[in-house]
């Protein structure tokens, strides 16, 4: 069966938390790439009231096979009681890019999953 790909999104209330979720997912090879977008303005229902907040969005590029593990990582590292975790299927895309996503999300037995400490996304 052919590989399936998804973009997974979540939002959080701070850039440092968004950056940590992105970094963790890439370090664990659950996502080939994670992009931070923000700040964004969100309006939503919460506990019977309409709320508005400034948030940061994280968009993860991964394979469908990694969704459950990525969703667990997001849930475990997230400060929200009910974090947004939405997977959108990729129905078409550059074959070279999708091959890269698949390659980057495969475990590398020679790699120890450490990310360069100088590449701190939270300070970017």
């Amino acid at each position: 069966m052919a590989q399936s790909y998804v973009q997974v999104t979540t939002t959080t209330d701070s850039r440092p938390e968004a950056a940590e979720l992105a970094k963790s997912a890439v370090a664990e090879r659950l996502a080939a790439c994670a992009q931070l977008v923000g700040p964004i303005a969100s309006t939503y229902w919460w506990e019977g009231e309409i709320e508005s907040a400034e948030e940061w969005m994280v968009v993860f590029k991964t394979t469908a096979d990694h969704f459950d593990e990525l969703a667990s990582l997001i849930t475990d590292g997230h400060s929200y009681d009910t974090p947004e975790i939405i997977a959108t299927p990729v129905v078409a895309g550059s074959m070279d890019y999708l091959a890269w996503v698949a390659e980057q999300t495969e475990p590398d037995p020679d790699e120890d999953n450490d990310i360069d400490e100088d590449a701190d996304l939270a300070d970017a």
Side-chain angles (χ1 to χ4, degrees):
M1 180 176 217
Q3 182 77 268
S4 297
Y5 301 89
V6 293
Q7 286 193 131
V8 177
T9 58
T10 194
T11 56
T12 186
D13 63 1
S14 74
R15 182 184 174 104
E17 183 176 342
E20 184 56 36
L21 289 169
K23 188 175 182 179
S24 296
V26 173
E28 294 295 320
R29 292 195 174 270
L30 298 177
C33 172
Q35 298 169 315
L36 277 59
V37 182
I40 58 173
S42 296
T43 302
Y44 51 91
W45 282 100
W46 185 249
E47 297 181 347
E49 301 287 329
I50 294 177
E51 300 282 336
S52 294
E54 183 175 278
E55 295 185 296
W56 291 84
M57 179 184 291
V58 186
V59 181
F60 303 90
K61 315 308 176 54
T62 191
T63 63
D65 290 344
H66 287 9
F67 174 74
D68 289 337
E69 283 183 275
L70 178 57
S72 291
L73 180 137
I74 293 168
T75 300
D76 292 346
H78 211 292
S79 62
Y80 289 179
D81 293 337
T82 308
E84 169 189 347
I85 304 172
I86 296 176
T88 304
V90 174
V91 296
S94 160
M95 295 308 294
D96 289 341
Y97 182 79
L98 296 176
W100 174 81
V101 169
E103 180 181 319
Q104 298 312 309
T105 56
E106 287 300 316
D108 183 347
D110 298 327
E111 187 175 273
D112 62 8
N113 284 344
D114 286 338
I115 287 190
D116 181 3
E117 294 299 320
D118 295 330
D120 188 3
L121 294 175
D123 295 330

